[in-house]
Amino acid sequence: MAFREDQIARYSRHIILKEVGGRGQEKLLSARVLVIGAGGLGSPVAMYLAAAGVGTIGLVDMDVVDVSNLQRQIMHSQSTVGIPKVVSGARTLSRMNPDVTVVPIQDRLTAENAMELFSGYDVIVDGSDNFGTRYIVNDAAFFLKKTLVSGSILRFEGQVTVLEGHTEAPCYRCLYPEAPPPGLVPSCSEAGVLGVLAGTIGTLQAAEVVKKILGVGELLTGRLLLYDALSMTFRKLRVPKDPHCALCSPKATITTVSGSSEWVCQVPAS
Amino acid sequence: MSVVVRIPTPLRKLTGNQGEVREEGGTVREILDGLESHYPGIRERLTDEAGELRRFINIYLNEEDIRFAEGLDTKVKAGDEVSIIPAIAGGAR
Ligand SMILES: [Zn+2]
């Protein structure tokens, strides 16, 4: 791939890094990343990937922009309140970088559509807002052998990990074998979330995606990064592959993607 | 044995907003007994009716998940750090 002059200028700070270089920038420009959730986490993830020149960015979200989103969902703005998040997001990303092809998918991710949606992408990013979706994302990524960069936030705390259950590394079910029953863990809309936390965690996810595409550094595979904004501490814990995992171990019992993405959205605050 | 127990934000309501408490005990189970006696109600958030650790809660002893050690019988020693890590799902809304 030959760079245009404007691309050499745009990506010069990348190209000058020996870990990226022209080769790496080419990898970014031909990479395809699917972002689940165009909200708090999806915003910084997609914006930094677009700025980095990731060639194709898919956005999956069925919601429309609400004014209560704007405290943290920086891909959207006052002028896009009321329009679909994926459309609002696509506008922001295309304006940032015309090199990027944005694929807006205004739909709920389900067990039925996950495999087909994921199949055209290299890396999957989970920035969803409920456990049902998280297990669907994990299982579909596993069956398609895709790297999954997972992030989650609540109140003042966030978690990031990279899941590759199709390798020696763990999957989401190795980390959390089962979702909590409705009522035990509140959602952000009930429990609140510090707006800037979405930026911290989403940006860390974007860094992992870029490293995965470039094949540089150490990923958070087999590691869980915890961030506490109040104490301003980062901790990294080990996540082993579960030899009894229902999905990715030799004792697996799960053979297809199933489950619902809706049921944990409306839990009462505990 | 006195160990530090890190409490995640969703459970801090039960610990009077403390993110870090000290408990005595020789195993993780004894640490949880101590927690329950000081902060009633916290145990049922962590273990099920059979006393097993809930499947969406991880307890780490220092950097290691106790599910991959001796579970609740994992031994602790003075100066160890026990962290309670619940699954959280927020991100898009
Ligand atoms: Zn697994």
Side-chain angles (χ1 to χ4, degrees), chain B residues 24-39:
Chain B
E24 302 281 326
T27 63
V28 174
R29 193 185 303 278
E30 290 170 17
I31 298 297
L32 297 193
D33 291 342
L35 273 179
E36 177 66 18
S37 69
H38 294 121
Y39 313 105

PDB file of all heavy atoms in Angstrom, chain B residues 24-39:
ATOM      1  N   GLU B  24      -9.105 -10.473  60.756  1.00  0.00           N
ATOM      2  CA  GLU B  24      -8.230 -11.516  61.288  1.00  0.00           C
ATOM      3  C   GLU B  24      -8.704 -12.875  60.781  1.00  0.00           C
ATOM      4  O   GLU B  24      -9.915 -13.084  60.639  1.00  0.00           O
ATOM      5  CB  GLU B  24      -8.312 -11.544  62.822  1.00  0.00           C
ATOM      6  CG  GLU B  24      -7.953 -10.240  63.514  1.00  0.00           C
ATOM      7  CD  GLU B  24      -6.451 -10.029  63.603  1.00  0.00           C
ATOM      8  OE1 GLU B  24      -5.728 -11.041  63.748  1.00  0.00           O
ATOM      9  OE2 GLU B  24      -6.016  -8.876  63.501  1.00  0.00           O
ATOM     10  N   GLY B  25      -7.780 -13.798  60.581  1.00  0.00           N
ATOM     11  CA  GLY B  25      -8.176 -15.153  60.204  1.00  0.00           C
ATOM     12  C   GLY B  25      -7.024 -15.879  59.548  1.00  0.00           C
ATOM     13  O   GLY B  25      -6.059 -15.261  59.096  1.00  0.00           O
ATOM     14  N   GLY B  26      -7.134 -17.212  59.523  1.00  0.00           N
ATOM     15  CA  GLY B  26      -6.077 -18.029  58.931  1.00  0.00           C
ATOM     16  C   GLY B  26      -6.406 -18.503  57.534  1.00  0.00           C
ATOM     17  O   GLY B  26      -5.531 -18.960  56.806  1.00  0.00           O
ATOM     18  N   THR B  27      -7.692 -18.416  57.158  1.00  0.00           N
ATOM     19  CA  THR B  27      -8.108 -18.803  55.805  1.00  0.00           C
ATOM     20  C   THR B  27      -9.040 -17.705  55.274  1.00  0.00           C
ATOM     21  O   THR B  27      -9.534 -16.877  56.039  1.00  0.00           O
ATOM     22  CB  THR B  27      -8.899 -20.126  55.799  1.00  0.00           C
ATOM     23  OG1 THR B  27     -10.105 -19.926  56.549  1.00  0.00           O
ATOM     24  CG2 THR B  27      -8.100 -21.276  56.386  1.00  0.00           C
ATOM     25  N   VAL B  28      -9.295 -17.773  53.975  1.00  0.00           N
ATOM     26  CA  VAL B  28     -10.211 -16.790  53.389  1.00  0.00           C
ATOM     27  C   VAL B  28     -11.586 -16.923  54.034  1.00  0.00           C
ATOM     28  O   VAL B  28     -12.260 -15.937  54.325  1.00  0.00           O
ATOM     29  CB  VAL B  28     -10.293 -16.962  51.856  1.00  0.00           C
ATOM     30  CG1 VAL B  28     -11.347 -16.037  51.265  1.00  0.00           C
ATOM     31  CG2 VAL B  28      -8.934 -16.695  51.214  1.00  0.00           C
ATOM     32  N   ARG B  29     -11.998 -18.166  54.325  1.00  0.00           N
ATOM     33  CA  ARG B  29     -13.305 -18.376  54.959  1.00  0.00           C
ATOM     34  C   ARG B  29     -13.383 -17.645  56.301  1.00  0.00           C
ATOM     35  O   ARG B  29     -14.394 -16.994  56.613  1.00  0.00           O
ATOM     36  CB  ARG B  29     -13.524 -19.881  55.160  1.00  0.00           C
ATOM     37  CG  ARG B  29     -14.955 -20.266  55.530  1.00  0.00           C
ATOM     38  CD  ARG B  29     -15.066 -21.761  55.835  1.00  0.00           C
ATOM     39  NE  ARG B  29     -14.612 -22.599  54.744  1.00  0.00           N
ATOM     40  CZ  ARG B  29     -15.356 -22.917  53.673  1.00  0.00           C
ATOM     41  NH1 ARG B  29     -16.577 -22.462  53.578  1.00  0.00           N
ATOM     42  NH2 ARG B  29     -14.864 -23.691  52.723  1.00  0.00           N
ATOM     43  N   GLU B  30     -12.307 -17.731  57.085  1.00  0.00           N
ATOM     44  CA  GLU B  30     -12.309 -17.042  58.380  1.00  0.00           C
ATOM     45  C   GLU B  30     -12.319 -15.525  58.208  1.00  0.00           C
ATOM     46  O   GLU B  30     -12.903 -14.800  59.013  1.00  0.00           O
ATOM     47  CB  GLU B  30     -11.088 -17.485  59.217  1.00  0.00           C
ATOM     48  CG  GLU B  30     -11.232 -18.931  59.688  1.00  0.00           C
ATOM     49  CD  GLU B  30      -9.954 -19.499  60.313  1.00  0.00           C
ATOM     50  OE1 GLU B  30      -9.043 -18.696  60.687  1.00  0.00           O
ATOM     51  OE2 GLU B  30      -9.865 -20.733  60.412  1.00  0.00           O
ATOM     52  N   ILE B  31     -11.677 -15.078  57.153  1.00  0.00           N
ATOM     53  CA  ILE B  31     -11.711 -13.637  56.865  1.00  0.00           C
ATOM     54  C   ILE B  31     -13.149 -13.207  56.560  1.00  0.00           C
ATOM     55  O   ILE B  31     -13.631 -12.172  57.037  1.00  0.00           O
ATOM     56  CB  ILE B  31     -10.790 -13.300  55.668  1.00  0.00           C
ATOM     57  CG1 ILE B  31      -9.337 -13.652  55.975  1.00  0.00           C
ATOM     58  CG2 ILE B  31     -10.932 -11.835  55.253  1.00  0.00           C
ATOM     59  CD1 ILE B  31      -8.723 -12.893  57.115  1.00  0.00           C
ATOM     60  N   LEU B  32     -13.862 -14.046  55.775  1.00  0.00           N
ATOM     61  CA  LEU B  32     -15.259 -13.720  55.461  1.00  0.00           C
ATOM     62  C   LEU B  32     -16.123 -13.762  56.722  1.00  0.00           C
ATOM     63  O   LEU B  32     -17.030 -12.943  56.886  1.00  0.00           O
ATOM     64  CB  LEU B  32     -15.831 -14.674  54.402  1.00  0.00           C
ATOM     65  CG  LEU B  32     -15.186 -14.650  53.016  1.00  0.00           C
ATOM     66  CD1 LEU B  32     -16.061 -15.403  52.007  1.00  0.00           C
ATOM     67  CD2 LEU B  32     -14.925 -13.230  52.521  1.00  0.00           C
ATOM     68  N   ASP B  33     -15.840 -14.710  57.635  1.00  0.00           N
ATOM     69  CA  ASP B  33     -16.566 -14.740  58.915  1.00  0.00           C
ATOM     70  C   ASP B  33     -16.371 -13.420  59.657  1.00  0.00           C
ATOM     71  O   ASP B  33     -17.320 -12.854  60.201  1.00  0.00           O
ATOM     72  CB  ASP B  33     -16.053 -15.888  59.804  1.00  0.00           C
ATOM     73  CG  ASP B  33     -16.423 -17.264  59.253  1.00  0.00           C
ATOM     74  OD1 ASP B  33     -17.345 -17.325  58.402  1.00  0.00           O
ATOM     75  OD2 ASP B  33     -15.790 -18.254  59.664  1.00  0.00           O
ATOM     76  N   GLY B  34     -15.128 -12.956  59.664  1.00  0.00           N
ATOM     77  CA  GLY B  34     -14.828 -11.683  60.327  1.00  0.00           C
ATOM     78  C   GLY B  34     -15.573 -10.528  59.677  1.00  0.00           C
ATOM     79  O   GLY B  34     -16.137  -9.674  60.367  1.00  0.00           O
ATOM     80  N   LEU B  35     -15.568 -10.535  58.348  1.00  0.00           N
ATOM     81  CA  LEU B  35     -16.275  -9.466  57.618  1.00  0.00           C
ATOM     82  C   LEU B  35     -17.749  -9.453  57.995  1.00  0.00           C
ATOM     83  O   LEU B  35     -18.316  -8.398  58.291  1.00  0.00           O
ATOM     84  CB  LEU B  35     -16.168  -9.707  56.099  1.00  0.00           C
ATOM     85  CG  LEU B  35     -14.962  -9.172  55.352  1.00  0.00           C
ATOM     86  CD1 LEU B  35     -15.083  -9.554  53.881  1.00  0.00           C
ATOM     87  CD2 LEU B  35     -14.828  -7.659  55.503  1.00  0.00           C
ATOM     88  N   GLU B  36     -18.364 -10.661  58.015  1.00  0.00           N
ATOM     89  CA  GLU B  36     -19.797 -10.740  58.308  1.00  0.00           C
ATOM     90  C   GLU B  36     -20.088 -10.239  59.724  1.00  0.00           C
ATOM     91  O   GLU B  36     -21.094  -9.577  59.944  1.00  0.00           O
ATOM     92  CB  GLU B  36     -20.283 -12.174  58.118  1.00  0.00           C
ATOM     93  CG  GLU B  36     -21.739 -12.419  58.469  1.00  0.00           C
ATOM     94  CD  GLU B  36     -22.747 -11.693  57.563  1.00  0.00           C
ATOM     95  OE1 GLU B  36     -22.357 -11.276  56.451  1.00  0.00           O
ATOM     96  OE2 GLU B  36     -23.907 -11.538  57.986  1.00  0.00           O
ATOM     97  N   SER B  37     -19.179 -10.538  60.661  1.00  0.00           N
ATOM     98  CA  SER B  37     -19.452 -10.112  62.036  1.00  0.00           C
ATOM     99  C   SER B  37     -19.337  -8.586  62.175  1.00  0.00           C
ATOM    100  O   SER B  37     -20.055  -7.983  62.956  1.00  0.00           O
ATOM    101  CB  SER B  37     -18.536 -10.836  63.033  1.00  0.00           C
ATOM    102  OG  SER B  37     -17.209 -10.384  62.879  1.00  0.00           O
ATOM    103  N   HIS B  38     -18.460  -7.981  61.399  1.00  0.00           N
ATOM    104  CA  HIS B  38     -18.330  -6.520  61.479  1.00  0.00           C
ATOM    105  C   HIS B  38     -19.298  -5.788  60.559  1.00  0.00           C
ATOM    106  O   HIS B  38     -19.694  -4.660  60.839  1.00  0.00           O
ATOM    107  CB  HIS B  38     -16.893  -6.098  61.123  1.00  0.00           C
ATOM    108  CG  HIS B  38     -15.881  -6.561  62.121  1.00  0.00           C
ATOM    109  ND1 HIS B  38     -14.822  -7.373  61.779  1.00  0.00           N
ATOM    110  CD2 HIS B  38     -15.787  -6.352  63.457  1.00  0.00           C
ATOM    111  CE1 HIS B  38     -14.113  -7.630  62.866  1.00  0.00           C
ATOM    112  NE2 HIS B  38     -14.678  -7.024  63.899  1.00  0.00           N
ATOM    113  N   TYR B  39     -19.629  -6.431  59.426  1.00  0.00           N
ATOM    114  CA  TYR B  39     -20.475  -5.772  58.413  1.00  0.00           C
ATOM    115  C   TYR B  39     -21.588  -6.720  57.989  1.00  0.00           C
ATOM    116  O   TYR B  39     -21.539  -7.318  56.913  1.00  0.00           O
ATOM    117  CB  TYR B  39     -19.630  -5.337  57.204  1.00  0.00           C
ATOM    118  CG  TYR B  39     -18.365  -4.622  57.619  1.00  0.00           C
ATOM    119  CD1 TYR B  39     -17.126  -5.252  57.545  1.00  0.00           C
ATOM    120  CD2 TYR B  39     -18.416  -3.320  58.119  1.00  0.00           C
ATOM    121  CE1 TYR B  39     -15.962  -4.616  57.964  1.00  0.00           C
ATOM    122  CE2 TYR B  39     -17.272  -2.672  58.548  1.00  0.00           C
ATOM    123  CZ  TYR B  39     -16.042  -3.335  58.469  1.00  0.00           C
ATOM    124  OH  TYR B  39     -14.908  -2.704  58.891  1.00  0.00           O
TER     125      TYR B  39
END
